[in-house]
């Protein structure tokens, strides 16, 4: 733990962990092997996001063997983005790497990311050239999501990129000032700017275990990305309202014309039901869209701590931010 306190840290690696007990030993080996070739002065920060298996025990074991290993244990599952945020709050390295804990992001690529960082880039993200072993549904929905997001946001969020990246401590500093509760880190980092570049890699399939991103979590994450970076859905609701009002106005005119001039009353149960159901659907969707934004405002007004740390071997005195940890 000395390392974390006194020496200058060159690289921090942040790894969110959710039910990864089987993979932790190999993950550690590969991370260590790669990073130690770059520098002796590094720290590995594992954030255990309420795993239900023995991930925490594995992490504690590692931290006892190696004083460059740190863990933060959440009191429950708070979600991947928040786990990474906790790591960002605690890290000290001049360069900070965010990497998935399931070895889908190859640790060996850190060497390439670091080389780009040394060329002067403050953000080096790893772009997926190929995604192995993921379902057609996951790949196609992810692809669609990134394309929709690009169209409706004004910032340039890189396509087909996860959170696997290297960022300068400077970027971490500004990230911490973005206090939104609904984190969408890849969007926030894009929003911050700085010199950004990419390194291509092939994304492997998961070796053990299964994805921690359920469909529900994925949808929530997608909504966070959209609502956090675009007001377009709200504008679309307004436009939709105007369009439908215009269409109904035309229909009303036609109905009046038909009644008085053509002397024909428009009849029909079907058209009545269809139009009222259509309007009902549009209204519910519109309320839902507005509700998504309101629920996010609500969350930010409540200002609850974003995560609760049950246990950690990062010393409290290390950093002001660590004070935020409500240790039980
Ligand atoms: N993860 C997490 N909390 C969660 C879900 C996932 O910390 O609630 C971690 C997980 O252990 C992994 C990373 O986030 O290190 C990416 O998750 P996963 O592999 O399940 O997502 P996918 O690759 O399928 O998108
Ligand atoms: Mg994965």
């Amino acid at each position: 733990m000395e390392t974390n306190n006194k020496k200058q840290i060159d690289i921090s690696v942040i790894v969110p962990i959710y039910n990864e007990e089987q993979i932790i030993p190999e993950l550690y080996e590969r991370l260590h092997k790669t990073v130690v070739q770059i520098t002796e002065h590094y720290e590995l920060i594992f954030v255990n996001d309420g795993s239900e298996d023995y991930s925490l025990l594995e992490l504690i074991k590692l931290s006892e063997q190696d004083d460059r290993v740190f863990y933060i244990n959440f009191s429950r599952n708070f979600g991947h983005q928040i786990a990474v945020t906790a790591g960002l709050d605690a890290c000290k390295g001049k360069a900070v790497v965010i990497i998935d804990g399931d070895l889908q992001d190859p640790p060996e690529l850190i060497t390439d990311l670091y080389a780009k960082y040394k060329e002067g880039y403050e953000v080096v993200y790893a772009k997926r050239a190929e995604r192995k072993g993921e379902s057609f549904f996951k790949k196609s929905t992810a692809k669609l999501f990134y394309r929709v997001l690009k169209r409706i946001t004004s910032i340039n969020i890189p396509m087909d990129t996860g959170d696997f990246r290297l960022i300068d401590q400077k970027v971490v500093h500004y990230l911490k000032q973005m206090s939104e509760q609904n984190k969408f880190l890849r969007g926030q980092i894009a929003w911050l700017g700085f010199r950004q570049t990419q390194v291509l890699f092939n994304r492997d399939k998961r070796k053990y275990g299964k994805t921690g991103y359920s469909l529900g979590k994925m949808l929530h994450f997608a909504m966070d990305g959209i609502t956090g970076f675009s007001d377009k859905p709200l504008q679309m609701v307004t436009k939709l309202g105007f369009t439908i009002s215009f269409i109904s106005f035309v229909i009303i005119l036609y109905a009046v014309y038909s009644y008085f001039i053509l002397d024909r009353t428009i009849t029909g149960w079907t058209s009545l039901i269809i139009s009222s159901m259509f309007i009902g659907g549009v209204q519910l969707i519109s309320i839902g869209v507005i509700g998504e934004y309101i629920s996010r405002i609500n969350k930010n007004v409540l200002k609850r701590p974003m995560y609760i740390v049950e246990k950690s071997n990062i010393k409290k005195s290390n950093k002001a931010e660590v004070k935020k940890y409500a240790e039980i």
Side-chain angles (χ1 to χ4, degrees):
M1 268 138 276
E2 295 266 295
T3 327
N4 194 283
N5 230 348
K6 288 171 195 152
K7 282 185 213 135
Q8 176 76 46
I9 310 277
D10 292 321
I11 304 180
S12 301
V13 182
I14 297 170
V15 198
I17 296 288
Y18 180 59
N19 297 341
E20 311 281 11
E21 61 175 358
Q22 282 167 300
I23 211 152
I24 289 172
E26 184 184 339
L27 173 68
Y28 166 74
E29 276 308 316
R30 286 175 61 182
L31 278 172
H32 168 74
K33 239 190 194 155
T34 310
V35 183
V36 84
Q37 279 169 7
I38 304 171
T39 173
E40 286 275 316
H41 307 304
Y42 68 88
E43 57 179 8
L44 305 179
I45 302 177
F46 294 92
V47 185
N48 181 35
D49 184 16
S51 298
E52 287 128 32
D53 62 359
Y54 290 105
S55 294
L56 177 63
L57 284 183
E58 290 289 335
L59 296 178
I60 293 177
K61 216 159 67 185
L62 280 181
S63 71
E64 282 163 359
Q65 290 162 10
D66 182 346
D67 63 5
R68 290 176 287 201
V69 171
F70 297 91
Y71 66 84
I72 297 171
N73 186 45
F74 280 179
S75 61
R76 64 169 170 86
N77 179 250
F78 281 88
H80 166 255
Q81 296 285 298
I82 296 181
V84 175
T85 304
L88 291 172
D89 286 343
C91 72
K92 294 192 190 51
K94 283 190 244 170
V96 180
V97 174
I98 302 169
I99 186 169
D100 277 0
D102 58 356
L103 289 179
Q104 278 195 288
D105 300 337
E108 293 71 27
L109 199 79
I110 295 175
T111 314
D112 299 349
L113 300 179
Y114 196 75
K116 285 276 177 201
Y117 164 75
K118 276 290 165 195
E119 281 175 28
Y121 291 99
E122 280 115 348
V123 176
V124 189
Y125 51 86
K127 190 178 158 86
R128 301 157 180 170
E130 192 192 335
R131 295 174 79 151
K132 280 186 222 149
E134 283 179 309
S135 67
F136 172 74
F137 178 74
K138 176 133 189 168
K139 278 193 266 195
S140 49
T141 49
K143 218 176 167 114
L144 179 72
F145 171 64
Y146 284 115
R147 266 122 200 107
V148 169
L149 201 62
K150 195 180 173 73
R151 283 203 68 145
I152 66 172
T153 56
S154 46
I155 50 160
N156 204 0
I157 298 173
M159 294 265 180
D160 307 321
T161 312
D163 286 316
F164 184 23
R165 59 188 64 210
L166 182 150
I167 54 180
D168 193 292
Q169 183 63 243
K170 205 162 34 180
V171 179
V172 176
H173 171 78
Y174 290 110
L175 267 179
K176 286 186 207 161
Q177 291 180 7
M178 298 174 83
S179 62
E180 59 247 56
Q181 294 260 330
N182 296 83
K183 294 283 173 194
F184 188 67
L185 289 165
R186 58 199 76 167
Q188 289 175 257
I189 293 171
W191 184 90
L192 281 170
F194 292 104
R195 266 160 300 170
Q196 311 213 356
T197 189
Q198 65 181 45
V199 168
L200 284 177
F201 79 109
N202 289 332
R203 190 160 159 93
D204 289 333
K205 63 170 188 262
R206 233 176 201 283
K207 236 181 156 169
Y208 306 103
K210 57 178 190 334
T211 173
Y213 261 98
S214 59
L215 185 62
K217 275 187 189 169
M218 246 160 62
L219 281 176
H220 205 83
F221 180 63
M223 285 308 284
D224 283 344
I226 293 170
T227 54
F229 292 92
S230 172
D231 287 334
K232 283 261 164 68
L234 289 173
Q235 291 155 4
M236 266 152 57
V237 164
T238 315
K239 278 185 198 151
L240 196 66
F242 274 115
T243 313
I244 291 171
S245 305
F246 178 74
I247 294 169
S248 10
F249 182 68
V250 171
I251 294 174
I252 291 167
L253 281 185
Y254 173 69
V256 172
Y257 171 79
S258 150
Y259 183 79
F260 287 108
I261 314 284
L262 304 178
D263 218 10
R264 255 194 345 237
T265 313
I266 300 171
T267 55
W269 179 89
T270 319
S271 56
L272 204 67
I273 288 297
I274 288 175
S275 59
S276 67
M277 276 173 54
F278 175 68
I279 294 297
V282 168
Q283 280 176 340
L284 284 181
I285 292 170
S286 308
I287 294 171
V289 169
I290 299 165
E292 288 292 337
Y293 284 87
I294 294 179
S295 85
R296 279 161 182 80
I297 297 171
N298 185 41
K299 220 173 162 188
N300 283 292
V301 169
L302 285 173
K303 278 210 173 81
R304 292 198 179 135
M306 209 174 299
Y307 52 86
I308 303 292
V309 175
E310 185 266 336
K311 192 175 176 186
S312 171
N313 67 337
I314 300 179
K315 280 190 203 137
K316 267 193 174 181
S317 58
N318 269 359
K319 256 198 157 189
E321 280 87 345
V322 184
K323 279 194 202 127
K324 277 198 293 200
Y325 298 171
E327 290 224 40
I328 297 168

